[in-house]
Amino acid sequence: MMLFAPKVFPKLSTLSHAGRSMYIWVYYTIPLAFTLLLVPGLFLKVMGISPGAADGDLFFMRLAGALLVSMSFMSHQAAILDMRQFFVWAVMGRTFIVGVLIVCTVLGLCNPIVTFFGCIDFSGAMWTLMGIRRDEAEARGQQAVTAQPTP
């Protein structure tokens, strides 16, 4: 059983379409994760949010950063090893998170800027979904369906 992917920095051309989107997503999540983990106050300041009284020591922000580091590592490994079922789960999970953020914004429980970042992640999830579909089409020997301009 292989514990780690054989290469940390593979050539993008060697990855599947879905794997490539997950791999590139990690370059967004790793800096965000370490910022949340190590300097969560900086993240809040950039977002224009003040820490709540319940999280004055920013423990929960640091915990979120640690969880995101873990998810980023799993996504990185899955992308390189082309773990397609993981890609499907990632799309589902990332879509769920955006749904939660939208509901929280509508209810006034979070700052709308947080939902903006969620929408960035949602667009990445949709990129992964398109990659999954393209990989499946290529595996069936079909040309991937792409948007074509109408005459």
Side-chain angles (χ1 to χ4, degrees), residues 44-137:
L44 291 175
K45 186 175 181 179
V46 168
M47 299 289 276
I49 302 171
S50 60
D55 196 20
D57 62 355
L58 302 174
F59 168 76
F60 290 106
M61 293 291 293
R62 293 178 193 278
L63 181 60
L67 291 170
L68 190 54
V69 168
S70 177
M71 288 174 38
S72 299
F73 172 74
M74 289 184 283
S75 298
H76 175 268
Q77 296 294 295
I80 296 170
L81 296 172
D82 201 29
M83 300 175 78
R84 294 171 186 243
Q85 190 61 48
F86 183 89
F87 303 154
V88 173
W89 297 331
V91 169
M92 292 167 49
R94 290 161 69 187
T95 302
F96 172 75
I97 293 293
V98 172
V100 169
L101 290 174
I102 290 170
V103 169
C104 288
T105 300
V106 169
L107 295 176
L109 300 173
C110 74
N111 192 318
I113 191 74
V114 175
T115 303
F116 171 75
F117 276 89
C119 289
I120 292 172
D121 188 49
F122 180 73
S123 65
M126 293 302 100
W127 180 24
T128 301
L129 179 61
M130 290 188 318
I132 291 168
R133 290 182 175 168
R134 187 170 178 185
D135 290 334
E136 288 174 350

Side-chain angles (χ1 to χ4, degrees), residues 17 132-146:
H17 298 287
I132 291 168
R133 290 182 175 168
R134 187 170 178 185
D135 290 334
E136 288 174 350
E138 288 177 2
R140 290 190 306 266
Q142 300 173 345
Q143 179 70 22
V145 177
T146 58

